[in-house]
Amino acid sequence: MMIPVTFWSYFAELAGCAETVVTVSDGATIEVLLKHLYTSYPALAEMRRSTLIAVGVEYQDGEYVLKAGDRVSLFPPVQGG
Amino acid sequence: MMIPVTFWSYFAELAGCAETVVTVSDGATIEVLLKHLYTSYPALAEMRRSTLIAVGVEYQDGEYVLKAGDRVSLFPPVQGG
Amino acid sequence: MKRFLSITHDPIDEAGLLAARSMSAGMGAAVYFSGVVRAQEGSELIVAIDYSCFVPMAEHQFHRLFDQLEQRGSVESLRLIHRIGRVAVGEASLWIEVVSAHRGEAFSACQWVIDEMKRVVPIWKKPVLVTEKPVA
Amino acid sequence: MKRFLSITHDPIDEAGLLAARSMSAGMGAAVYFSGVVRAQEGSELIVAIDYSCFVPMAEHQFHRLFDQLEQRGSVESLRLIHRIGRVAVGEASLWIEVVSAHRGEAFSACQWVIDEMKRVVPIWKKPVLVTEKPVA
């Protein structure tokens, strides 16, 4: 299953790109996807405690089971206003 | 000592006039002035628990000692806004 | 603290007040409140409220409140307009603007001024009921 | 509840928003908040803030907040404009208006929306320092 991942705000600078695609097996959780990601983007791994995760337009946590068609977003704490 | 007294809001309707003058002896307090007033205007006496008192533009209470030149105002709770 | 106070029979010109707003570069928040006469006062339908005011005392008490706010030191500007006389349903009787560095201060100062005003500023309301004849 | 949401690169036209305001006869309070970019961000002097936004998610999250507010039942209208892209010092990045029957509800709803926005709506700030060269 190929899951597109978008990095927002300075996470894109830390990753060196704004988007990537991660291949995970069926039934994989976000936790699993993050493990893959953090291997490729160690600078993001350092931010894991202050990382927000969304699938589509909803917040999700590590236990969320990914489905085909899901789009994942990773970003730092929001700062509107 | 002649002390002018103004009634504001519906206190003027209860009194039947917007202004009066009360004669009190030197050293009289507002308490004394009110006693005179309430004899002349019994409808105001019934409102005494919800009466605010000012001398000039400052709030005062019954213990305030009146001076020549003081102008007293009596009014119900305020309702700005 | 910059302050502007007006107790007036004229309609409140919100657009004009907005156009006259000034904020220095350190200020991050402006909070406005517009209080409008509602069609209902308690259980009765009304067409307007007649506001009466002991003007010199009202001005003095407003400025005492502004003095207290100034001592807090966090508000750059406060503008307050209270309309008196007959104010029709749907028209504003009160407009307040507070400019401050941060929104928390601006919100709390604005609400504080309204609360204190309702405690100490000598202004009174008399509802004009639907059944009453208009005053010419 | 009437709602208007705009996430936009355009300057916030407060006067136009004010002119478009509507309040029904039962409403007594309008509370506005205008959030303006300050010359200082932390300890650094800045000339602007670049706001970035994950727009579809931001819109969705704003509407979730508005849904929650609507369930309280006390707000007649909520209008919110958040500017994105480069916003210069002294310009508004955020404008909110809440119309309600009573001022307590209007003040609390307005502050609640700002607090919740800062928790869940994906918008980020990047200060533009005084020393940086302008972006053409």
Side-chain angles (χ1 to χ4, degrees):
Chain A
M1 210 165 43
M2 290 178 42
I3 303 289
V5 177
T6 307
F7 308 120
W8 295 93
S9 181
Y10 63 84
F11 276 22
E13 291 156 37
L14 291 177
C17 63
E19 292 189 358
T20 187
V21 173
V22 180
T23 304
V24 293
S25 47
D26 282 5
T29 60
I30 282 180
E31 203 74 59
V32 170
L33 176 127
L34 290 178
K35 246 179 224 163
H36 286 281
L37 270 178
Y38 290 157
T39 310
S40 313
Y41 305 99
L44 284 182
E46 289 174 30
M47 307 306 295
R48 67 193 315 159
R49 277 161 196 275
S50 55
T51 294
L52 298 174
I53 304 155
V55 176
V57 293
E58 297 285 2
Y59 286 97
Q60 300 294 349
D61 63 20
E63 290 169 24
Y64 175 89
V65 177
L66 292 159
K67 302 184 306 287
D70 278 348
R71 304 185 65 86
V72 171
S73 289
L74 261 61
F75 47 83
V78 303
Q79 305 168 293
Chain B
M1 208 165 49
M2 289 176 43
I3 304 290
V5 178
T6 307
F7 307 120
W8 295 94
S9 180
Y10 62 85
F11 276 22
E13 291 156 39
L14 292 177
C17 63
E19 292 189 358
T20 187
V21 174
V22 179
T23 304
V24 293
S25 46
D26 282 7
T29 60
I30 282 178
E31 202 76 58
V32 171
L33 176 127
L34 289 178
K35 246 177 222 161
H36 286 282
L37 270 177
Y38 289 158
T39 310
S40 313
Y41 305 100
L44 285 182
E46 290 174 28
M47 308 305 296
R48 68 194 313 159
R49 277 161 196 274
S50 55
T51 295
L52 298 175
I53 304 156
V55 176
V57 295
E58 296 285 0
Y59 285 97
Q60 300 295 349
D61 63 19
E63 289 169 26
Y64 176 88
V65 178
L66 292 159
K67 303 183 307 285
D70 279 349
R71 304 185 63 87
V72 172
S73 289
L74 262 62
F75 47 82
V78 304
Q79 304 167 295
Chain C
M1 188 179 83
K2 282 183 280 184
R3 49 174 90 179
F4 174 77
L5 172 67
S6 172
I7 297 173
T8 174
H9 282 81
D10 299 332
I12 295 173
D13 174 16
E14 235 178 298
L17 287 160
L18 205 66
R21 185 182 72 191
S22 75
M23 277 173 83
S24 74
M27 297 299 112
V31 169
Y32 309 78
F33 172 76
S34 179
V36 172
V37 173
R38 300 169 65 209
Q40 207 161 345
E41 178 79 6
S43 61
E44 305 200 275
L45 285 178
I46 67 169
V47 293
I49 288 179
D50 284 331
Y51 284 91
S52 62
C53 179
F54 176 8
V55 175
M57 182 170 175
E59 289 177 342
H60 176 72
Q61 295 291 330
F62 267 130
H63 279 293
R64 281 185 62 146
L65 298 179
F66 298 171
D67 290 344
Q68 288 177 61
L69 210 56
E70 189 159 22
Q71 278 167 19
R72 291 199 207 170
S74 58
V75 170
E76 175 179 76
S77 154
L78 189 145
R79 296 193 290 167
L80 189 151
I81 293 91
H82 202 304
R83 199 167 156 197
I84 54 176
R86 181 156 296 189
V87 183
V89 164
E91 292 184 3
S93 56
L94 174 65
W95 186 88
I96 304 180
E97 175 205 66
V98 176
V99 172
S100 192
H102 303 286
R103 75 192 158 91
E105 302 157 351
F107 274 109
S108 80
C110 191
Q111 289 172 280
W112 182 84
V113 166
I114 301 171
D115 288 340
E116 290 298 299
M117 174 195 77
K118 287 178 176 286
R119 211 173 54 80
V120 300
V121 175
I123 296 174
W124 302 274
K125 298 200 263 195
K126 189 176 173 185
V128 181
L129 303 185
V130 168
T131 49
E132 287 176 37
K133 283 195 183 135
V135 166
Chain D
M1 189 178 83
K2 281 184 282 185
R3 48 174 93 179
F4 174 77
L5 171 67
S6 171
I7 297 173
T8 175
H9 282 80
D10 299 332
I12 296 175
D13 174 15
E14 235 179 299
L17 287 160
L18 205 65
R21 184 182 73 190
S22 75
M23 277 173 82
S24 73
M27 297 299 111
V31 169
Y32 309 77
F33 172 76
S34 178
V36 173
V37 173
R38 301 169 64 209
Q40 207 161 346
E41 178 79 6
S43 62
E44 306 201 273
L45 284 178
I46 66 168
V47 292
I49 288 179
D50 284 331
Y51 284 91
S52 62
C53 179
F54 176 8
V55 175
M57 182 170 175
E59 289 178 341
H60 176 73
Q61 295 291 330
F62 268 130
H63 279 292
R64 282 185 62 146
L65 298 179
F66 299 171
D67 289 344
Q68 288 177 62
L69 210 56
E70 189 159 20
Q71 279 167 19
R72 292 200 207 169
S74 57
V75 170
E76 176 179 76
S77 155
L78 189 145
R79 296 194 289 167
L80 189 152
I81 293 91
H82 202 304
R83 198 166 157 197
I84 54 177
R86 182 155 294 191
V87 183
V89 164
E91 292 183 3
S93 56
L94 175 64
W95 187 89
I96 304 180
E97 175 205 66
V98 177
V99 171
S100 192
H102 302 286
R103 76 192 158 93
E105 302 156 352
F107 274 109
S108 80
C110 191
Q111 289 172 282
W112 182 83
V113 166
I114 302 171
D115 288 340
E116 290 298 299
M117 174 195 76
K118 287 177 176 286
R119 210 173 55 80
V120 299
V121 176
I123 296 174
W124 302 274
K125 298 200 263 196
K126 189 176 174 186
V128 182
L129 302 184
V130 167
T131 50
E132 286 177 38
K133 283 197 185 135
V135 167

